[in-house]
Amino acid sequence: MQVSSKRERLGKRSLSDNQKVRIILFVLAVFILISRFASMQHEMNVHPDEAVFYNGASSVVTDDYQFEQVKNYPNGALVFQMPFHYLGKLITTSLDAAYEPQVWGRIASIIYHMLAALLGGYMMWRYIGKSVKSVAFYAVIMSFSLLQIEQSRYGTGDAISLFVIMMILYAIFLFFEEENDFYLYFASFLVGSLAAIKFTLLIFAAYPLCAMYLHNKHREKKKSLLKPNLLMVLWIAGGLILFSPQWFKDHAFFLKAILSEMNSYVLRGNFGAIATFANNLASSLIYQLLYAEFPLALPIVIYGLVRMIAKRDQKSAKDSFLCFVIPVSILVFFLSNMVVATYFFRSIYPYYSLCILYTAYGLGELCEKKKMKIIVAVLTAFMVVRGSTFIYALAQPSGSYRMYETLTEHEEWEDRISTVRYGWRFTSTQKAIPDPVTFTTEDVFKESYPKIREGEFVVTQSIDFAMTQTHFFPSGNDAYDKLRTNWQAFQKENQPYYIGQAYPKMTYPLFGAWMLGSTLTEYEFMSNYIYYRPYESQEKRAKAQAYHQINQITDARDYFTALYEIDECAVIITSIGGLSQTPFQDLNLFSDFYDDYYDHANCMYVIDSFGYAECMPGVLNPSPTYLVDSLGVDCEVTYIAEDVKVLIDDKELLFREKDTCFVVYDYELDSIVDSGEIDFLHESEPQIIR
């Protein structure tokens, strides 16, 4: 009797399935908010697409309240961001703080992603899996999926599109449940707003149209579908237009945006994502198998769908919708994205996200089998550990600190001859690379690979796993293949000089950043490698030390102003006799020359440009001969570089190692007062040679 009474008391205290689901969804919401906000600011200034959204959205909340189109890009996402920008402006104004549109754009995405996850979990319980286990698996996947973590933090349209898709599904399920056409019209309006986020998502117009057809098919009394279908099309068009404010200013907007998208993604690729159908397909399926959601998700998705079809009620329109309409639509969407030239996993984000519904269902079914429980438990534990590691990595400071310390704390840093960057994309510049000279990666690796000089530090942009991502089949692009071959040769030759990188090597295989289609190496974990080639002789070391005695002059204008005892002057010191642009902006003498600055036929890159604080090393500069002729300077044009090859008019130029040309211009006299060369081999002060 006592044992029986105790069991009865415990039974009364146990949670119902509804209560368990509420707890799971509450924990899911809290975890998403905490984990995404904790990692939100990692490499915040790297993603190039976010500015399209937050600049357009924030333009409305400024003083003039005028919407500004940043580029010909769908407007839907920025419209969905608008409430958060208004809220951000209100809060920051009341607190007398700075309004940061990018931050509020990311906050918007996090909130929409959380709401999408909650809707998905609720639908798993009420309409799809109808089991606590399925809801729990769905929550785990949405919390720890690498792709979900990554995309939920960006202030772009991906997390917003997932929220809208979930709203469309919920409205359709309500239609099946209550048989009220209002829900289909609302779903149609949402489809229009979804297409305004990304035009390719118009494929989801099939959802309300197919839902109406299936519902009518299973009715005893059939009705004409012409009128409701026309109304749904009108609601889709209304949603598309209302969420595209640029259309009201330019009725050709849709055509321009479609052509821009076609040109950027379908017709031509870039070195960051050269793609073919075979490579896209292989990468997408392997990514789904290993990284996108639950480990080994691809067979589990198929198993879940097969089990769902086997258990469906053939007279249920809802079950037919779940078993056929959604799978067919996402398969068509998936395959249509395999033909693009510029391919990213985020392009098929809705495919991966909707597959999670079937993965969670399949896992719930597998857990009914005793032999599978251990395997599922091990895979779940692996996913949680890897996802937690990913969140932790994103919550850490930018890799720029590691790069900066690797450079400046190196024992040879003070004796360096130069710091060279290959490319333009580097980890956020909280700790910038000191005094770099920059080359465009495609140009440097076009014909062969560059040589690292003695005493030179080299920092590469994201080339590994970014510009040279893994292809399982031939790329079909000669320029890409040549870049990849030359990069691999560069790595092999300079492996003895490798001294570090922005992020640990295990980052890339652990999180799937090595694969074609991943943007992690572009936006989160840049594969910036650092090399240093030591001096082979003390003579060259001494030469470099003397060189840097000049190179470390913070402002050559002050130095020469004192030297010539004139009030104001401009000094141009350049290692190749080129012209750095800033000193001449106010000189009428060179106005014609400056206007034609970028149009000049003979251009080359600056090597080791120094001496003027505001100069821009690495920009294209006019030919030394043209400069000397323009200034009337009687000095030899010389070079400070060794074995650095640059193509000029398809001819190879080998820079020589000599002295440096300088020019002093007196503003008051409106003339050149001196010119000559600087002997950087002198061991005390710079020696002027005339």
Side-chain angles (χ1 to χ4, degrees), residues 65-357:
Y65 296 97
Q66 295 294 316
F67 169 71
E68 295 180 7
Q69 174 77 4
V70 178
K71 61 179 287 189
N72 287 321
Y73 200 84
N75 297 158
L78 63 88
V79 176
F80 276 100
Q81 284 188 8
M82 283 305 308
F84 293 89
H85 287 282
Y86 277 117
L87 178 64
K89 186 69 172 178
L90 178 64
I91 292 175
T92 54
T93 300
S94 62
L95 297 176
D96 195 25
Y99 164 62
E100 299 182 46
Q102 187 176 13
V103 171
W104 290 97
R106 289 201 168 192
I107 290 174
S109 288
I110 292 172
I111 299 301
Y112 281 121
H113 183 265
M114 178 200 70
L115 295 175
L118 291 177
L119 270 173
Y122 177 73
M123 288 187 290
M124 281 297 304
W125 168 242
R126 185 168 177 178
Y127 301 112
I128 306 175
K130 297 182 180 180
S131 76
V132 177
K133 291 179 181 177
S134 295
V135 177
F137 281 119
Y138 182 84
V140 169
I141 296 172
M142 292 300 290
S143 297
F144 295 101
S145 157
L146 301 181
L147 184 65
Q148 297 298 327
I149 295 170
E150 178 188 2
Q151 297 303 322
S152 63
R153 302 162 45 263
Y154 295 142
T156 58
D158 297 302
I160 298 172
S161 66
L162 177 59
F163 166 73
V164 178
I165 290 171
M166 290 302 178
M167 285 289 292
I168 292 169
L169 289 179
Y170 184 49
I172 289 173
F173 288 140
L174 286 175
F175 164 73
F176 287 136
E177 189 175 58
E178 301 185 14
E179 299 186 345
N180 187 336
D181 290 356
F182 163 79
Y183 293 114
L184 280 192
Y185 298 141
F186 179 58
S188 301
F189 178 78
L190 290 173
V191 168
S193 69
L194 180 64
I197 296 173
K198 187 174 290 187
F199 295 144
T200 55
L201 298 180
L202 189 59
I203 190 175
F204 289 97
Y207 283 11
L209 295 172
C210 289
M212 176 64 79
Y213 168 78
L214 290 172
H215 178 259
N216 194 56
K217 178 183 177 181
H218 291 287
R219 286 168 56 110
E220 293 184 3
K221 186 177 180 181
K222 305 294 189 290
K223 69 176 183 178
S224 173
L225 299 182
L226 179 61
K227 181 179 178 180
N229 283 343
L230 286 175
L231 286 174
M232 283 189 285
V233 170
L234 290 175
W235 277 107
I236 291 171
L240 177 62
I241 291 173
L242 286 177
F243 280 81
S244 302
Q246 184 64 18
W247 180 85
F248 294 95
K249 299 173 65 176
D250 180 6
H251 291 334
F253 161 68
F254 290 127
L255 178 61
K256 293 178 181 177
I258 290 172
L259 291 176
S260 175
E261 293 290 280
M262 288 286 291
N263 184 57
S264 298
Y265 294 97
V266 180
L267 301 180
R268 64 179 180 86
N270 56 55
F271 276 174
I274 294 295
T276 62
F277 179 86
N279 279 311
N280 292 348
L281 184 63
S283 289
S284 301
L285 296 179
I286 293 173
Y287 185 71
Q288 185 172 16
L289 188 68
L290 301 177
Y291 299 105
E293 43 164 308
F294 198 84
L296 306 181
L298 189 57
I300 299 174
V301 168
I302 297 172
Y303 174 78
L305 178 58
V306 170
R307 291 293 298 158
M308 189 179 291
I309 293 173
K311 297 175 69 173
R312 81 185 191 281
D313 179 357
Q314 295 187 5
K315 295 182 178 180
S316 169
K318 175 184 72 67
D319 285 3
S320 296
F321 186 85
L322 279 170
C323 293
F324 302 107
V325 175
I326 295 179
V328 170
S329 67
I330 61 176
L331 180 61
V332 172
F333 177 76
F334 173 83
L335 292 175
S336 66
N337 277 275
M338 296 298 104
V339 300
V340 299
T342 300
Y343 174 70
F344 303 110
F345 291 139
R346 72 172 188 266
S347 301
I348 56 172
Y349 178 64
Y351 162 79
Y352 288 128
S353 299
L354 288 173
C355 280
I356 294 175
L357 297 172

